[in-house]
Amino acid sequence: MAASSRIYQVAVPTPLYRVFDYLAPSTLAPGTRVRVPFGRRELVGVVLDEVAQSELPHNRLKSITQSLDADPLLPPSLLRLLRWAADYYHHPIGEVVHTAMPVSLRQGRPASISGVAVWTLTNAGKAVDPVTLKRTPAQKRLLDVLSLSPAGLDAEQLAQISLRWAAALKALRSKGWVSSHQRDSWPASNTDIQGSPLLNPGQQAAVTAVTAGLGQFRAYLLHGVTGSGKTEVYLNVIEQVLAQGKQALVLVPEISLTPQLVDRFARRFRAPIALLHSGLNDQDRLNAWLAARADKAPIVLGTRSAVFTPLKNPGLIVVDEEHDASYKQQDGLRYSARDVAIMYAAREKIPILLGSATPSLESLKKAREGAYTLLELPDRTGGAGMPDVRLLDMRRLKPSDGLSLPLREAVAARLAKGEQSILFLNRRGFSPVWMCFDCGWVAPCKRCDAQLTLHQKKQKLLCHHCGAEQEVVRRCPSCRGENLHPLGEGTERVEGALQNFFPQARIERIDRDSTARRGALEEKLRRVHAGEADILVGTQMLSKGHDFPNVTLVGILNADQGLYGADFRSGERLFQLIMQVSGRAGRADKPGEVLIQTWHPDHPLFAALQRHDFHGFAELALNERRETGYPPYSHLALLRAESPMPGAALSFLHDARTLAVRLSPGAGVQILSPAPAPMERRAGRHRAQLLVQSAQRAPLHDFLAQWVRQLAEAKFAKKTRWSLDVDPVDMY
Ligand code: ADP
Ligand code: ZN
Ligand code: ZN
């Protein structure tokens, strides 16, 4: 070993709370990927630092086998952010760094943008009316999906649209409707650019406030009802950012929202857009990530994990629907992309714009206290009013397949006028219970404390928690009777019932089952927009962002689910959900109506909904949180444990608690008693949790830092799978 060897600290993807020292003969900048020997394996790690000395004697240090990047892959700004995330979420730095990289980079593949052949519609193809392709459904589907993908689709993406994609593509090519090109550089928009509409005073004030603050850190909370023109505010601020030669990172909660947003960005800017979401193949993801890093893409648009995109020249971060729970990662590094984004903006000294019709109580409280700037858009654009919200008192109404008579009449009235209706039900499948009507037996999941859901079209009983699937039981295992029936309703059942009530109506069901095939959701949405559907039945997939101008009725079928939920956030979630779904109604010139079926019409949450009074609801909810000491009036961390052995998780948590008490955490840090998870058994594992609560963040984090490191080393912790969730969003 040459005496001149340098020592580097390397982040290696292991669950250990430390970095590892390695030798290398040459200079390696922080952020460079390296291959290192690790036990019997070789792993891809990232250099964090050069150090003068190691705790290990020089002759016991191993050498880096290979340096994978000529220039450091992770820029210093991203490395700083990742170190912060490792500290804040008390997660091993090696895993954090790993999480932040696209898959192919984790595997050690070269960090170079490579060309992929993609197909797009030609002008002739764009002019084709898809209806003329009715007899060749595969071609029609390809045309439909391509028309929504201005950047083009590669073979892998096309293959997911139809089994017959290759033949269909050949046919479309021979007609001159599609053409292929190499996607080697970053595609810039080639559509006609449309300018901004004249902003209304609220929008103008918001744009002025944020643009005045470019070049310095500030968080802005843009609270605007659905259809109030929030996206237009983002676009106008981004325009200024691009004019300064800077990049904008835009986060959205759902992949399904990206096509329409991309479309709006493409119509406004000629700038290339780097897209980052889980629906992309590895190569596209890598290309987008590298384009952002090289400043080849001024606009970076993506879902949760896009928050870890390196930006060469950051100017602004936008988090759309900032309250959305999907910003929180639920396994591994349990980060909140919104919170990481705020820290990113703070470190880069740029503004961050958080938008929502129903801001989280956390963000609202910060805005009220002046830590964030609150920007309000109180009205819908174009003079559209807020929908009329009416409660249907289900104590007096007898529903049939979940549909009360007034709701059915309201749907019928829309059908007669050629308007569209949305019926919202947060439960997929046919019925949530399959029951013996002789003895009361209900079909259970063998691996979860849960009942199986009947899926009628599939003729299967499915567990929505572990994915288990079994044949429909025809003879009761308890009493041998054959009087088994579905109980309660899911979207599949409501769809069928509507078809019976309204045989002529064209119904689209939108839920995870009906949109599993790639392109299916896009196709359904296109039909809705084209007026080829009368009624939409769906789960919360329907609630997000989609703009349906001809929808004038929204029916909420099971609003009470969540009214008295176990989670302290269930009321907040329900309010957000109903506001979002209601926001789909009457966005254009036609007034909308929202009908809510409830057994609790006197609940104050509904009164606030009827007045469209977000602030009134927030006042109630914040008071309740203050009294109960829940966030945003305290900070939480949840230690979860699970084991195939009954009792093991709980016993681990008791030991963990003993350890915690011995560490004597600072004043105000409360360690509650371990308790079984609300669903104790899931996928064959017994689960339990231990809540830690603190009024102040600093003592909580000091305590957690010591605690997790000791847990990681503790003998009693070896046999149980455990994880720490800082700022948990789902309490079970
Ligand atoms: P949000 O993001 O709050 O739901 P959008 O920005 O999508 O609202 O605006 C809703 C609709 O109103 C869009 O069709 C948009 O083009 C239009 N719009 C937004 N601002 C204006 C404006 N100032 N004048 C006219 N139309 C506008
Ligand atoms: Zn029975
Ligand atoms: Zn199950």
Side-chain angles (χ1 to χ4, degrees):
M1 196 71 45
S4 61
S5 277
R6 297 154 183 270
I7 305 172
Y8 292 98
Q9 290 188 331
V10 178
V12 179
T14 73
L16 298 170
Y17 284 86
R18 46 168 298 202
V19 291
F20 295 86
D21 295 344
Y22 287 93
L23 296 171
S26 55
T27 312
L28 293 173
T32 305
R33 285 178 305 155
V34 289
R35 279 191 205 281
V36 292
F38 193 83
R40 270 180 231 158
R41 294 172 296 164
E42 195 175 63
L43 296 176
V44 174
V46 171
V47 172
L48 292 184
D49 255 327
E50 182 176 347
V51 288
Q53 269 181 339
S54 173
E55 284 172 14
L56 284 178
H58 207 271
N59 61 5
R60 291 204 38 213
L61 289 176
K62 292 188 187 159
S63 291
I64 287 171
T65 348
Q66 199 185 352
S67 157
L68 295 169
D69 301 308
D71 300 315
L73 179 72
L74 306 182
S77 58
L78 183 59
L79 279 181
R80 278 197 303 272
L81 185 71
L82 298 177
R83 281 180 189 263
W84 171 83
D87 277 351
Y88 184 84
Y89 292 105
H90 302 280
H91 200 77
I93 181 74
E95 288 191 351
V96 174
V97 170
H98 200 66
T99 304
M101 291 190 284
V103 172
S104 53
L105 295 179
R106 294 178 199 167
Q107 295 166 341
R109 293 218 218 108
S112 54
I113 297 182
S114 65
V116 180
V118 295
W119 280 269
T120 51
L121 290 185
T122 58
N123 282 336
K126 285 180 196 158
V128 175
D129 181 354
V131 175
T132 59
L133 291 174
K134 231 174 20 209
R135 282 160 204 271
T136 49
Q139 290 182 40
K140 177 169 178 299
R141 215 171 294 144
L142 244 53
L143 195 83
D144 282 344
V145 179
L146 281 169
S147 72
L148 293 163
S149 316
L153 297 176
D154 61 32
E156 192 177 330
Q157 292 166 324
L158 290 171
Q160 295 185 38
I161 297 171
S162 161
L163 278 176
R164 284 189 294 277
W165 71 278
L169 185 68
K170 212 166 145 197
L172 293 178
R173 267 185 119 168
S174 67
K175 294 179 207 164
W177 293 348
V178 298
S179 61
S180 73
H181 61 270
Q182 285 287 313
R183 178 158 64 199
D184 47 9
S185 66
W186 218 248
S189 143
N190 53 4
T191 29
D192 293 335
I193 299 299
Q194 289 169 5
S196 165
L198 193 63
L199 298 183
N200 65 37
Q203 289 173 314
Q204 190 56 59
V207 172
T208 307
V210 185
T211 47
L214 290 182
Q216 61 200 48
F217 170 63
R218 179 87 197 151
Y220 299 87
L221 179 59
L222 180 63
H223 171 226
V225 294
T226 42
S228 61
K230 292 185 292 299
T231 310
E232 210 50 67
V233 170
Y234 308 153
L235 290 168
N236 277 272
V237 178
I238 290 170
E239 199 171 346
Q240 305 288 322
V241 171
L242 300 191
Q244 294 186 358
K246 297 263 171 72
Q247 293 172 285
L249 170 64
V250 181
L251 300 181
V252 292
E254 290 270 310
I255 314 179
S256 68
L257 290 182
T258 53
Q260 51 173 359
L261 212 55
V262 168
D263 191 51
R264 265 178 92 174
F265 278 76
R267 272 186 280 135
R268 180 66 66 82
F269 306 115
R270 220 171 270 289
I273 300 171
L275 257 188
L276 281 152
H277 58 69
S278 57
L280 300 175
N281 63 33
D282 288 352
Q283 188 61 51
D284 284 351
R285 223 181 143 76
L286 175 63
N287 285 353
W289 196 88
L290 292 171
R293 172 174 166 274
D295 199 8
K296 286 185 184 161
I299 300 171
V300 182
L301 177 66
T303 45
R304 187 171 60 223
S305 65
V307 74
F308 293 120
T309 310
L311 300 172
K312 181 138 194 219
N313 218 345
L316 172 77
I317 303 180
V318 174
V319 182
D320 192 25
E321 312 286 3
E322 67 88 29
H323 65 278
D324 200 287
S326 65
Y327 282 124
K328 177 84 178 183
Q329 166 117 338
Q330 298 290 10
D331 53 21
L333 171 64
R334 294 167 179 261
Y335 65 99
S336 150
R338 178 198 59 204
D339 295 347
V340 173
I342 293 169
M343 190 45 66
Y344 204 172
R347 309 215 145 198
E348 297 299 315
K349 303 192 172 56
I350 57 172
I352 180 165
L353 183 51
L354 309 169
S356 177
T358 51
S360 63
L361 294 176
E362 281 80 0
S363 299
L364 186 70
K365 178 166 173 275
K366 291 223 173 78
R368 286 185 174 187
E369 289 165 352
Y372 299 171
T373 301
L374 184 62
L375 305 167
E376 299 265 7
L377 300 179
D379 303 309
R380 288 185 155 186
T381 62
M386 294 303 284
D388 225 1
V389 178
R390 270 203 305 145
L391 302 176
L392 300 178
D393 185 347
M394 298 303 279
R395 293 170 305 186
R396 261 166 257 157
L397 298 164
K398 245 189 96 178
S400 164
D401 285 321
L403 299 162
S404 66
L405 183 61
L407 185 56
R408 295 197 307 265
E409 286 171 347
V411 172
R414 293 326 186 280
L415 286 172
K417 281 193 281 185
E419 296 172 0
Q420 294 169 313
S421 307
I422 291 180
L423 297 186
F424 174 83
L425 173 63
N426 217 355
R427 202 191 272 147
R428 64 197 171 88
F430 187 85
S431 74
V433 180
W434 179 242
M435 184 168 118
C436 169
F437 277 47
D438 289 338
C439 77
W441 177 87
V442 296
C445 175
K446 292 188 180 70
R447 309 168 67 218
C448 306
D449 292 330
Q451 283 140 14
L452 296 173
T453 299
L454 174 68
H455 284 245
Q456 196 171 58
K457 220 156 139 198
K458 262 187 150 171
Q459 275 300 302
K460 288 270 163 36
L461 293 171
L462 299 188
C463 175
H464 287 182
H465 304 283
C466 71
E469 188 175 310
Q470 64 175 68
E471 297 306 315
V472 179
V473 185
R474 301 290 170 194
R475 179 186 287 270
C476 174
S478 172
C479 73
R480 313 305 295 160
E482 292 184 6
N483 196 13
L484 292 131
H485 301 281
L487 190 68
E489 50 283 316
T491 45
E492 201 188 349
R493 186 172 200 166
V494 171
E495 178 191 22
L498 285 165
Q499 201 66 79
N500 280 338
F501 286 127
F502 309 111
Q504 353 63 333
R506 295 161 303 175
I507 303 172
E508 290 289 347
R509 174 157 61 90
I510 298 190
D511 56 27
R512 223 175 343 128
D513 301 314
S514 72
T515 58
R517 187 172 47 75
R518 185 176 201 126
L521 177 62
E522 287 78 2
E523 204 182 318
K524 281 171 176 287
L525 294 176
R526 190 201 58 75
R527 280 203 290 269
V528 177
H529 283 290
E532 294 165 24
D534 303 308
I535 308 174
L536 286 86
V537 183
T539 56
Q540 63 185 4
M541 278 184 95
L542 268 180
S543 69
K544 309 218 170 153
H546 307 291
D547 202 344
F548 304 120
N550 200 33
V551 169
T552 57
L553 172 70
V554 171
I556 316 266
L557 268 58
N558 60 344
D560 296 343
Q561 213 183 45
L563 212 47
Y564 300 99
D567 196 316
F568 69 87
R569 284 196 182 87
S570 43
E572 181 183 3
R573 295 260 167 73
L574 180 65
F575 188 87
Q576 287 163 348
L577 186 67
I578 298 183
M579 277 288 251
Q580 297 282 341
V581 197
S582 310
R584 307 299 124 225
R587 284 165 63 100
D589 45 344
K590 297 168 192 157
E593 183 179 34
V594 178
L595 296 181
I596 301 177
Q597 297 192 155
T598 174
W599 276 262
H600 303 277
D602 302 326
H603 199 287
L605 186 146
F606 291 130
L609 272 173
Q610 285 189 291
R611 299 191 308 265
H612 307 286
D613 185 6
F614 170 74
H615 285 289
F617 163 76
E619 198 61 47
L620 284 173
L622 281 171
N623 284 338
E624 198 180 295
R625 300 282 179 88
R626 191 185 292 117
E627 278 160 24
T628 50
Y630 274 123
Y633 293 94
S634 71
H635 307 285
L636 302 181
L638 195 63
L639 184 65
R640 299 170 209 268
E642 55 175 56
S643 164
M645 282 187 309
L650 261 182
S651 120
F652 159 80
L653 291 178
H654 279 290
D655 290 343
R657 187 171 191 283
T658 308
L659 184 66
V661 172
R662 227 183 291 142
L663 288 171
S664 60
V669 179
Q670 271 180 292
I671 301 154
L672 278 63
S673 294
M679 184 185 295
E680 200 266 332
R681 201 169 49 104
R682 180 166 174 169
R685 294 178 163 272
H686 297 267
R687 304 146 72 237
Q689 55 195 34
L690 168 54
L691 189 65
V692 182
Q693 190 162 13
S694 175
Q696 304 296 326
R697 216 182 261 290
L700 175 66
H701 280 259
D702 288 345
F703 158 71
L704 292 177
Q706 296 180 52
W707 196 35
V708 287
R709 276 167 185 76
Q710 297 208 3
L711 282 175
E713 306 283 321
K715 257 215 181 80
F716 70 82
K718 300 278 182 249
K719 275 190 238 123
T720 316
R721 204 198 280 185
W722 61 272
S723 63
L724 182 73
D725 191 349
V726 174
D727 304 330
V729 160
D730 258 321
M731 299 300 287
Y732 48 90

